């Protein structure tokens, strides 16, 4: 096998301790003899959730030789709360040990720069590979088989059960519910995400009338359907004769489903069940186009609009034509307003339509923002929020107010917008008339959506596994203002010339796919824009010379890289190809003695 650099893996430490180990603390010494995959993740990050799903097959196939260790490394303050990590591990069915590292100690020791990052450690305790972003499962699987063979021959591979200990299951009718809608008969339909099903509740919001789905993950249509972590729900207008009454954002299946309420039958409306990747179709027959983690849906301007969290865009499904297409956003992650084709979003997760049908409100979770799309002008605007790195709980004028990873928006009877301010455990309100943000309620545990009912508001308390009915207060709740920035330490760089190198090594047995042109792509921008004097924009080379503005003290470099590799060998008639991609937001501080080169590892070793 090819020789590799021998780098001893730093110890796994975290102040929050270990989960899924039966109360035992683990060390690398305990894992000696196993192939360890350290998955640096945080539960707000859609790319991290994609990687959890990518790893499930590998985890099962190599259960006796591989130990996956989730290293939870928070972005938001709420994610540093140990109880929230416990909830997330249960919510996303993480079936391996997890280290809760709220202070990013292990993150720093491994020099990680992005969520998600995967680090492979061999049975002797050496780091042999690092991968940032999504799309690496095939490469890691090939490396695992190589390591199995090598260390079996050396006698350093230890087979047998790993340290995972399943937690006690929690009983209840709902498990981490996502969104809810009120049906014409007064009942509620709830996306019971943790049970992979839909639940119809009576008008009391508690009594279960029926369950649609058997609780097992799957993409199955008909009278006995299956879902995978469904989230968003939207009623379609009556009288259209579509054959279904509700559109469901079936998030982990990367699909839209149609539910007929009369008999509970389900039809797949859009998506193939495969995740969208750069280079995939962005429009076409709905059942032939890949989607990426649709999180919410809303009927707007004659179509079903989709909060496509996985690619930071809004898409639209046309039921009459049976087509789906991108409606807004570029796939670049950030907060940029303007025409829909040029706007940037960051994991949009909630949608609501104004009473007059002129605005589509968007909960843009990773920028802790509320945005809106104008039907008349085809443009995107920001009501609350400033970008990827600023968040908190602060009321007042919208341009100064702060949210923390909101997942839902709900239009209130007076035209204002209720915000499910998820990581603040609060229900907030934005008034477009006054431009003010207030707090309506606190101590609602991870609200993910809400429904207006007869002057009250019914909140989906996702982490309390229930619907909670609240009076809409006439006056706002007063809370102490707090503001936060992402915890990651800034990289000290010298002003002027900066060499950016994205490190990518094609997996063993593969090569860059250049049959139809360049197989790599690099996009660079900055916040603020004046940080970059030159070097911004898109190109195919994974290395670039940047020039940084010495008049600024700090900023953020936004780097998006993609590489496509294919099986290599003259005997392979139909080579399989794979896309590797990652977005980095790198905080930088400009100092005279800072570095003049910035390496970012997409795949391989620096």
């Amino acid at each position: 096998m090819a020789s590799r650099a021998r780098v001893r893996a730093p110890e796994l430490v975290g102040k929050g301790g270990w989960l899924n180990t039966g109360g035992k603390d683990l060390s690398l010494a305990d894992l000696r003899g196993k192939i360890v995959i350290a998955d640096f993740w945080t539960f707000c990050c859609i790319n991290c959730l994609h990687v959890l799903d990518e790893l499930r097959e590998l985890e099962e196939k190599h259960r006796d030789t591989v130990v996956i260790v989730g290293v939870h490394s928070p972005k938001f303050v709420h994610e540093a709360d140990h109880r929230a990590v416990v909830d997330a591990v249960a919510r996303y069915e993480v079936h391996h040990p997890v280290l809760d590292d709220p202070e990013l100690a292990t993150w720093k020791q491994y020099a990680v720069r992005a969520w998600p990052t995967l680090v492979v450690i061999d049975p002797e305790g050496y780091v042999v590979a690092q991968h940032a972003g999504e799309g690496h499962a095939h490469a890691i699987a090939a490396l695992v088989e190589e390591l199995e063979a090598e260390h079996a021959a050396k006698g350093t591979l230890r087979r047998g059960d790993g340290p995972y200990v399943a937690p006690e299951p929690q009983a209840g009718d709902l498990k981490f519910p996502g969104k809810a809608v009120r049906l014409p008969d007064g009942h509620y339909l709830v996306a019971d995400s943790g049970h992979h099903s839909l639940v119809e509740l009576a008008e009391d919001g508690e009594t279960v009338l029926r369950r649609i789905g058997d609780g097992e993950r799957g993409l199955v249509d008909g009278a006995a359907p299956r879902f995978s972590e469904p989230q968003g729900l939207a009623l379609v207008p009556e009288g259209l004769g579509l054959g279904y009454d509700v559109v469901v954002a079936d998030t982990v299946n990367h699909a839209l489903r149609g539910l007929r309420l009369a008999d509970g039958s389900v039809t797949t409306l859009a998506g193939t069940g495969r995740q969208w990747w750069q280079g995939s179709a962005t429009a076409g027959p709905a059942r032939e186009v890949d989607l990426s983690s649709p999180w919410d849906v809303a009927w707007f301007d004659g179509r079903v609009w989709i909060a496509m969290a996985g690619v930071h865009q809004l898409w639209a499904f046309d039921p009459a034509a049976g087509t789906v297409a991108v409606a807004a956003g570029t796939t670049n992650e950030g907060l940029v307003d303007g025409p829909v084709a040029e706007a940037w979003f960051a994991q949009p997760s909630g949608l609501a339509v104004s009473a007059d049908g002129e605005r589509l409100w968007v909960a843009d979770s990773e920028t802790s923002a509320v945005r809106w799309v104008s039907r008349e002008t085809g443009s995107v605007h920001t009501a609350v929020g400033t970008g990827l790195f600023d968040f908190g709980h602060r009321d007042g004028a919208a341009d100064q107010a702060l949210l923390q990873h909101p997942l839902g928006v709900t239009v209130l009877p007076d035209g204002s917008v209720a915000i499910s301010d998820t990581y603040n455990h609060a229900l907030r309100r934005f008034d477009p008339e006054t431009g003010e943000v207030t707090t309506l309620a606190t101590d609602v545990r991870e609200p993910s959506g809400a429904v207006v009912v007869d002057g009250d508001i019914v909140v989906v308390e996702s982490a309390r596994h229930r619907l909670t009915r609240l009076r809409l207060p006439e006056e706002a709740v007063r809370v102490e203002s707090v503001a936060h920035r992402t915890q990651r330490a800034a990289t000290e760089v010298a002003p002027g010339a900066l060499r950016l190198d994205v490190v990518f090594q094609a997996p063993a047995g593969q090569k860059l796919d250049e049959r139809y042109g360049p197989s790599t792509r690099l996009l660079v921008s900055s916040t603020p824009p004046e940080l970059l004097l030159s070097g911004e924009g898109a190109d195919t080379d994974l290395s670039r010379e940047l020039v940084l503005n010495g008049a600024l003290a700090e900023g953020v470099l936004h780097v998006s890289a993609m590489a496509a590799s294919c099986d290599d060998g003259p005997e392979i008639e139909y080579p399989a190809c794979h896309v590797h991609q990652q977005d980095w937001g790198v905080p930088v501080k400009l100092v005279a003695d800072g570095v003049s080169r910035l390496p970012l590892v997409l795949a391989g070793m620096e």
Side-chain angles (χ1 to χ4, degrees):
M1 65 182 289
S3 61
R4 299 190 190 88
R6 300 279 284 177
V7 178
R8 177 65 71 179
E11 190 53 83
L12 303 173
V13 294
K15 188 175 181 180
W18 289 86
L19 305 175
N20 286 354
T21 62
K24 179 182 177 181
D25 290 343
L26 297 181
S27 68
L28 283 176
D30 298 324
L31 303 175
R32 194 63 49 82
K34 297 288 190 180
I35 300 163
V36 177
I37 301 172
D39 175 16
F40 290 84
W41 71 300
T42 190
F43 62 78
C44 72
C45 162
I46 191 66
N47 312 93
C48 299
L49 304 186
H50 290 166
V51 167
L52 283 176
D53 291 318
E54 287 180 7
L55 292 176
R56 292 186 198 278
E57 182 178 348
L58 182 145
E59 188 171 25
E60 182 60 36
K61 182 177 179 181
H62 298 274
R63 185 169 294 280
D64 66 334
T65 59
V66 171
V67 174
I68 296 175
V69 173
V71 182
H72 189 269
S73 312
K75 172 185 174 181
F76 291 98
V77 168
H78 170 61
E79 293 173 309
D81 177 349
H82 183 71
R83 176 181 170 186
V85 180
V86 172
D87 284 345
V89 168
R91 180 193 296 269
Y92 298 116
E93 298 180 355
V94 179
H95 293 163
H96 50 249
V98 173
L99 174 64
D100 181 10
D101 182 17
E103 297 176 346
L104 303 181
T106 296
W107 166 287
K108 294 169 186 173
Q109 285 295 310
Y110 280 79
V112 173
R113 292 184 180 273
W115 296 278
T117 291
L118 298 168
V119 177
V120 182
I121 304 169
D122 74 12
E124 294 178 290
Y126 290 93
V127 175
V128 294
Q130 181 171 323
H131 302 266
E134 304 178 51
H136 301 293
H138 68 287
I140 293 175
L143 176 58
V144 163
E145 292 182 358
E146 193 178 350
L147 290 169
E148 285 176 339
E150 176 190 0
H151 288 274
K154 291 173 65 175
T156 50
L157 183 69
R158 177 166 56 89
R159 294 184 180 274
D161 291 339
Y164 170 68
V165 178
E168 289 294 322
Q170 300 295 314
D173 292 328
L174 301 178
K175 181 181 178 183
F176 300 110
K179 313 286 186 183
V181 293
R182 197 177 191 210
L183 301 177
D185 61 4
H187 297 166
Y188 298 93
L189 185 68
V190 182
D192 191 9
S193 308
H195 286 137
H196 312 297
S197 60
L198 309 179
V199 173
E200 185 175 346
L201 300 178
E203 291 184 72
D204 61 7
E206 297 179 2
T207 305
V208 175
L209 301 177
R210 63 171 165 169
R211 181 175 295 276
I212 301 164
D214 63 4
E216 297 293 326
R217 290 182 187 269
L219 181 54
V220 179
D221 286 343
R226 284 185 169 176
F227 304 88
S228 188
E229 296 181 34
Q231 290 285 343
L233 303 168
L235 292 171
V236 300
E238 296 181 3
L240 296 182
L242 298 175
Y244 52 88
D245 309 289
V246 180
V247 176
V248 182
D250 195 6
T251 303
V252 178
N253 276 329
H254 309 297
L256 296 190
R257 317 288 293 282
L259 167 66
R260 187 165 60 211
L261 290 169
D263 59 7
S265 65
V266 171
T267 305
T268 297
L269 306 176
T272 62
R274 298 183 300 270
Q275 183 184 336
W276 188 95
W277 291 98
Q278 289 286 353
S280 302
T282 56
R287 291 289 301 271
E288 299 175 14
V289 176
D290 299 338
L291 308 182
S292 183
S293 299
W295 208 274
D296 201 7
V297 281
W299 186 272
F300 176 63
D301 197 24
R303 295 175 292 169
V304 176
W305 283 57
I306 309 162
M308 201 71 78
V311 286
H312 316 300
Q313 291 179 309
L314 305 180
W315 288 43
F317 165 61
D318 186 335
T323 57
V324 69
V326 173
T330 64
T331 76
N332 297 324
E333 184 180 13
L335 193 154
V336 176
D337 290 339
V340 289
E342 301 172 12
W344 292 20
F345 295 91
Q347 217 168 295
S349 302
L351 301 174
V353 181
S354 62
D356 61 7
E358 290 298 315
R359 288 187 180 186
L360 178 69
W361 293 99
V362 182
D364 204 27
S365 62
E366 279 294 284
T367 53
S368 297
V370 172
R371 321 277 296 279
W372 54 278
V373 179
S374 167
R375 188 187 70 83
E376 180 181 5
T377 64
S379 55
V380 177
H381 308 263
T382 297
V384 186
T386 59
L388 286 165
F389 301 99
D390 296 294
F391 56 92
H393 191 153
R394 185 163 66 201
D395 288 334
D399 60 355
Q400 300 294 317
L402 293 172
L403 311 171
Q404 188 179 179
H405 198 79
L407 291 180
V409 280
T410 306
V411 174
L412 299 178
D414 64 358
S416 64
V417 180
I419 306 162
S420 294
D421 193 7
T422 310
Y423 287 1
N424 280 327
H425 307 301
L427 191 68
R428 311 285 292 283
R429 175 178 178 265
F430 168 67
D431 186 344
E433 292 296 320
T434 65
E436 292 286 313
V437 174
T438 52
T439 298
L440 298 177
T442 57
D443 191 31
V444 282
R445 187 79 186 166
E446 290 193 19
S448 54
V451 183
V452 174
V453 179
D454 301 329
D456 294 343
I457 191 162
V458 176
V459 181
V460 182
E461 282 198 271
S462 189
R464 283 199 176 112
H465 318 290
R466 70 187 189 192
L467 303 189
T468 300
R469 187 161 179 158
L470 304 172
R471 278 271 174 214
L472 280 173
E474 294 184 7
E475 293 187 3
V477 176
R478 296 192 180 277
V479 297
E480 182 178 350
S481 295
V482 292
H484 303 289
R485 296 209 84 202
T486 299
Q487 299 184 52
R488 285 180 294 166
T491 299
E492 293 189 344
V493 298
L498 177 70
R499 173 79 175 182
L500 172 65
D501 289 320
V502 174
V503 178
F504 177 77
Q505 298 161 6
Q510 295 190 12
K511 65 178 181 180
L512 289 175
D513 177 19
E514 296 181 337
R515 292 170 296 170
Y516 306 108
S519 61
T520 56
R521 175 179 178 267
L522 179 64
L523 175 70
V524 180
S525 63
S526 67
T527 302
E530 53 268 26
L531 174 65
L532 276 175
L533 296 178
S534 69
E536 66 177 351
D539 204 344
T540 58
D541 195 337
L542 290 181
S543 295
R544 188 177 302 180
E545 293 291 338
L546 310 179
V547 178
L548 303 183
N549 186 349
L552 297 181
E554 61 182 7
V556 179
L557 291 175
H558 303 283
V559 181
S560 177
M562 183 192 76
S565 62
C566 293
D567 293 341
D568 187 19
E571 75 285 356
I572 302 175
E573 184 176 0
Y574 300 106
C577 297
H578 307 273
V579 176
H580 318 255
Q581 65 182 44
Q582 172 61 10
D583 296 332
W584 291 268
V586 183
V588 295
K589 183 180 295 183
L590 278 70
V591 296
D593 58 350
V595 300
S596 58
R597 177 177 177 264
L598 177 62
L600 299 174
V601 177
L602 178 60
M605 295 284 287
E606 162 64 5

